[in-house]
Amino acid sequence: MFNKNVKTHGNASPQQICKKCEEYLAGWKRANADYQNLQKETTKQMDEFRKYSNEDMLMQLLPLADYFNHAFKQIPVKEQNSPWLTGIKHIQNYFNKILQDNGVEEIKVLGEEFDPAKHEIVAEEESDQEEGKIIKVNQAGFTLQGKVIRPAKVIISKQKKGGGK
């Protein structure tokens, strides 16, 4: 196994030298594995940073979505087909596309069961619907890449008085 012509360093035998080499090799392999793990973790952290880096700016834009929704609810019937309204609807659609392209999605809530991770109750109203179901939305909620960045402000149903179970 060992070459008898190998010169030893000091009093070390060839077996001791090989043992030392194996220790160095094992140490190098551990260091290399640690480095590769560090690279993977750094890449993962950078991807996560990129995914949510524009969250603050997008949060500042969300009120515009609310303003569009409130404005369109107030349009008089005789103005429904006016050209200027069509232009404003195009602006709203473009704005919504920008949000969507940046990973922002509106949380769909009507008729859903209340979920404290996605909804914030602002009131309860008597309703024929099952208790705890969302019956109205006061303010839309949004997610960014699946993470809730603004919970929906909702009104949930409660049992009608006298109609108890």
Side-chain angles (χ1 to χ4, degrees), residues 37-53:
N37 289 337
L38 177 65
Q39 281 184 315
K40 289 176 189 174
E41 183 64 27
T42 302
T43 300
K44 182 180 172 184
Q45 288 174 349
M46 290 299 292
D47 289 344
E48 194 75 9
F49 175 77
R50 278 188 215 102
K51 195 175 185 181
Y52 299 109
S53 63

Side-chain angles (χ1 to χ4, degrees), residues 7 10-11 16 18 31 43 48 55 60 69 76 106 120 127 162:
K7 292 184 180 178
N11 294 334
Q16 290 172 326
C18 279
T43 300
E48 194 75 9
E55 181 176 350
Q60 292 177 21
N69 290 333
E106 186 174 337
E120 183 180 315
S127 171

Side-chain angles (χ1 to χ4, degrees), residues 64-159:
L64 292 174
D66 297 330
Y67 299 150
F68 274 121
N69 290 333
H70 292 304
F72 283 115
K73 288 178 184 175
Q74 304 301 320
I75 297 171
V77 176
K78 66 179 185 173
E79 297 290 333
Q80 293 288 327
N81 295 320
S82 68
W84 68 268
L85 183 61
T86 302
I88 300 297
K89 285 182 181 178
H90 287 303
I91 294 169
Q92 181 190 29
N93 290 338
Y94 184 71
F95 176 73
N96 288 338
K97 184 180 180 328
I98 290 171
L99 291 177
Q100 186 178 18
D101 290 349
N102 282 280
V104 177
E105 292 183 23
E106 186 174 337
I107 300 171
K108 303 298 180 202
V109 296
L110 282 178
E112 297 286 319
E113 193 73 32
F114 172 73
D115 179 355
K118 297 189 288 187
H119 313 128
E120 183 180 315
I121 299 173
V122 294
E124 293 180 316
E125 287 183 7
E126 291 182 356
S127 171
D128 291 331
Q129 289 200 26
E130 181 182 330
E131 192 166 330
K133 290 279 187 180
I134 298 170
I135 55 176
K136 291 182 185 172
V137 179
N138 276 13
Q139 185 180 49
F142 292 91
T143 60
L144 173 61
Q145 307 290 347
K147 172 187 158 193
V148 176
I149 57 174
R150 186 176 86 181
K153 294 185 179 181
V154 298
I155 297 174
I156 62 169
S157 63
K158 70 176 181 179
Q159 189 103 19

